[in-house]
Amino acid sequence: MSAIEVGLKVILLFFVLVTIHEWGHFYFAKRAGILVREFAIGFGPKIFSYKKGETRYTLRILPIGGFVRMAGEDPEIVQVNPGQTVAIKLNKDNKVSSLFLDQLDRRSNVIQGVVEHIDMERTLQVTLDVDGERVSYPIDPQAMMVTKGTETQIAPYDRQFGSKTVGQRALAIVMGPVMNFVLAIVLFLIVVIMSGVFTNVKLDSVLAGKAGEKAGLQKGDIVMSIDNQPIGADREKLVTTIQASAGQPMTWVVDRSGNPLTLQVTPEMEDGSGKLGIVISGDRRSATFREVISGTYESVVGTTIGIVTSFQKLIMLQFKLDDLGGPIRTAQVSAQFAQMGITVFLSWTATLSLYLGIFNLLPIPALDGSRLLFMGLEALRGKPIDPNRESMVHFVGFALLMLLMVAVTYNDILRLIKG
């Protein structure tokens, strides 16, 4: 497989994981009637941008995430204050369709005046002093504010994130991680269908000089039983039995070319557990519907337990900086899996999707879990938390996450330099 093909697969992996997550936020925000200003993949400067309907879709330079910018989540960037001179353009219904904040002399077919009163959230009304005459106009709910060549659609209160019920807002937030869970389940299901079901445990190779070869094991042997315990197709049982039996003789019965053979096998202690120096595989058959469901369930649950356990170690500070990896390390590992075949790569993609969903549900400031926590507190109190305080918490959390990202990326670069 060429480096270009591997690179494209890794880029596609990140694109799919982030897009499916942000689409969950986007779809359920739009469904609740929230104005979505931007759907972005990546952070930093824009590489590509286009607008469709009310939303601008952007691709940004740093592939470390994405975001959906909803009206009302943060203070509106463009504001109009009494005493400010503006120009307005009316539509055929005599409502303000455009409100110009600069370069007023260059605007044609407009009404220019000084703002006496303006409300673009609730009453949608503007009052101007036009050459000493006080005039009022209704504002179209989809009116545009234009400044420095940029158009920004106004956001009436009923189109803002904060105007929706706790349930609607929580759904718009939680569906990002949920879509990652859905993607993981679908991919694991595809992997089970493509891989089939093992009918036995077969030795794919036996490494020279290791305990397996010394015991007489050979490539192609089918493991029937260990110490009178049937192995069947249970590869995990074989692995855990070997790991737990370092230095302990075991009686293996293997099928070699249709003939049963009994061998005495003693695993050697290596890296804290028993090892034989064998690579196992097995013969396969197509999975039944029931086996597809159960196999998918086992993959999802087993992977989830592994991810949660790793987060527990992280919280308990049971790790070294070298144990952590950032985007570079993740891309490097993803490239390795991309070269191992489509089923292995799909399984890795499913694992990353599950990881992304669980990570985003952690109650860490700036993550979805933290925002859901604030909504839970709002539901219990019967009133929202001060938006300014909540925004500050998320800002600090985001800054700390970026600091951690810089640290692990630096560590990734050092790891690459050191080989």
Side-chain angles (χ1 to χ4, degrees), residues 172-191:
I173 297 302
V174 78
M175 287 309 295
V178 167
M179 290 309 300
N180 283 123
F181 298 148
V182 171
L183 176 63
I185 292 170
V186 171
L187 291 178
F188 276 129
L189 183 120
I190 292 173
V191 168

Side-chain angles (χ1 to χ4, degrees), residues 382-404:
K383 60 180 181 179
I385 307 294
D386 184 347
N388 292 326
R389 292 183 179 180
E390 181 178 348
S391 295
M392 180 55 68
V393 169
H394 293 317
F395 174 78
V396 172
F398 183 77
L400 291 175
L401 283 176
M402 290 299 101
L403 185 62
L404 177 62

Side-chain angles (χ1 to χ4, degrees), residues 253-325:
V253 176
V254 300
D255 181 331
R256 182 174 295 169
S257 301
N259 299 313
L261 183 65
T262 301
L263 300 171
Q264 294 298 311
V265 180
T266 304
E268 297 175 343
M269 177 66 74
E270 187 177 332
D271 296 329
S273 63
K275 298 288 176 62
L276 286 176
I278 60 175
V279 177
I280 59 175
S281 61
D283 296 318
R284 302 172 186 263
R285 61 170 172 79
S286 297
T288 64
F289 176 78
R290 186 172 181 177
E291 288 169 335
V292 168
I293 300 302
S294 63
T296 302
Y297 174 81
E298 290 170 2
S299 296
V300 172
V301 172
T303 305
T304 299
I305 292 173
I307 293 172
V308 171
T309 300
S310 68
F311 282 142
Q312 288 176 340
K313 292 181 179 179
L314 193 64
I315 293 170
M316 300 300 292
L317 302 179
Q318 298 176 350
F319 68 95
K320 298 178 294 184
L321 185 59
D322 284 344
D323 297 330
L324 301 179

